[in-house]
């Protein structure tokens, strides 16, 4: 995923049980990480406003019904992805160019504070009850749990290589972190030392859960399959 966003074509071949050879060549298209433009949209639940990051430094607010821009907020370098709080009053934005997460008041359309994090933090998410925010940092291989009321880091946890979109389990018991090195980390937010690591597949990226929350599904880009985890 990082190679694709970096403007690289790649192929891979398994040499033996433990070894892969990956060949990368420069692609004809511009690296996504070097191009500005609207990237990640989300809808505010209370008024239907569309908010979107532009991969430069701003969060844009758009009236989706009236088809007009309501305003923009400077949040931080390379504003990438965002998460809307379950109650709709806050937006967290990953700003990897500034090594920080930005906190935005969704109702007043103002930036409240920046939270320092590691390098490569792009994909924030909230816990189901809204108490916590989480973001993984792909260049420092760690995860940050944040207090969503005080907007400060509670703990940092090291994980596998190139984590990609840490999310909470539907019951909020675990922070689930797929890593491109092939592991799924399950981290209890109340007790991170009791972390469980499950082998899921090479190139693990995004994941989701079954409707009854029993099963987790992890897409493995390099293994080209989906791992199903009970």
């Amino acid at each position: 995923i990082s190679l694709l966003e970096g403007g690289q074509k790649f192929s891979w071949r398994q040499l033996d049980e433990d070894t892969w050879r990956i060949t990368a060549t420069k692609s004809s298209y511009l690296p996504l990480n070097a191009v500005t433009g609207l990237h990640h949209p989300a809808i505010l639940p209370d008024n239907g406003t569309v908010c979107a990051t532009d991969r430069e430094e701003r969060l844009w607010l758009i009236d989706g019904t009236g088809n007009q821009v309501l305003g923009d907020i400077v949040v931080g370098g390379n504003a990438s992805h965002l998460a809307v709080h379950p109650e709709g009053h806050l937006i967290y934005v990953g700003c990897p160019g500034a090594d920080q997460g930005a906190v935005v008041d969704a109702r007043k359309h103002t930036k409240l504070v920046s939270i320092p994090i590691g390098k490569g933090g792009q994909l924030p998410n909230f816990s189901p009850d809204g108490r916590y925010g989480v973001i993984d940092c792909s260049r420092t291989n760690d995860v940050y749990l944040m207090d969503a009321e005080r907007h400060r880091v509670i703990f940092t946890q090291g994980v596998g290589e190139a984590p990609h979109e840490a999310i909470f389990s539907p019951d909020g018991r675990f922070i689930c972190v797929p890593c491109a090195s092939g592991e799924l980390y399950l981290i209890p937010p109340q007790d991170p030392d009791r972390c469980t690591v499950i082998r899921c597949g090479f190139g693990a990226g995004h994941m989701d859960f079954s409707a009854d929350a029993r099963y987790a599904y992890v897409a493995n880009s390099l293994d080209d399959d989906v791992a199903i985890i009970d």
Side-chain angles (χ1 to χ4, degrees), residues 164-197:
H164 197 76
E165 193 175 18
I167 63 174
F168 285 87
S169 59
D171 59 9
R173 291 177 56 206
F174 298 104
I175 303 166
C176 306
V177 191
C179 298
S181 49
E183 307 88 13
L184 175 65
Y185 281 70
L186 303 178
I187 305 171
Q190 303 292 346
D191 190 1
D193 291 336
R194 298 184 64 184
C195 174
T196 300
V197 183

Side-chain angles (χ1 to χ4, degrees), residues 40 53 75 77-83 91-103 114-127 131-148 151-160 162-168 174-179 185 187 189:
H40 185 199
T53 52
V75 290
N78 303 125
S80 178
H81 294 76
L82 60 90
I91 305 168
Y92 273 19
V93 182
C95 303
D99 300 334
Q100 65 185 25
V103 182
S114 294
I115 304 173
I117 56 174
K119 295 184 179 299
Q122 300 188 58
L123 293 150
N125 277 296
F126 285 101
S127 61
R131 292 177 60 195
Y132 304 114
V134 66
I135 190 168
D136 56 86
C137 297
S138 60
R139 293 175 60 192
T140 47
N141 300 327
D142 47 23
V143 172
Y144 285 70
L145 181 73
M146 298 165 285
D147 184 323
H151 312 307
R152 64 186 184 189
V153 174
I154 298 173
F155 68 72
T156 305
Q157 177 78 19
V159 293
H164 197 76
E165 193 175 18
I167 63 174
F168 285 87
F174 298 104
I175 303 166
C176 306
V177 191
C179 298
Y185 281 70
I187 305 171

Side-chain angles (χ1 to χ4, degrees), residues 72-91:
D72 62 274
I73 305 163
V74 175
V75 290
N78 303 125
S80 178
H81 294 76
L82 60 90
V84 176
H85 190 277
E87 296 179 3
H89 66 296
L90 290 175
I91 305 168

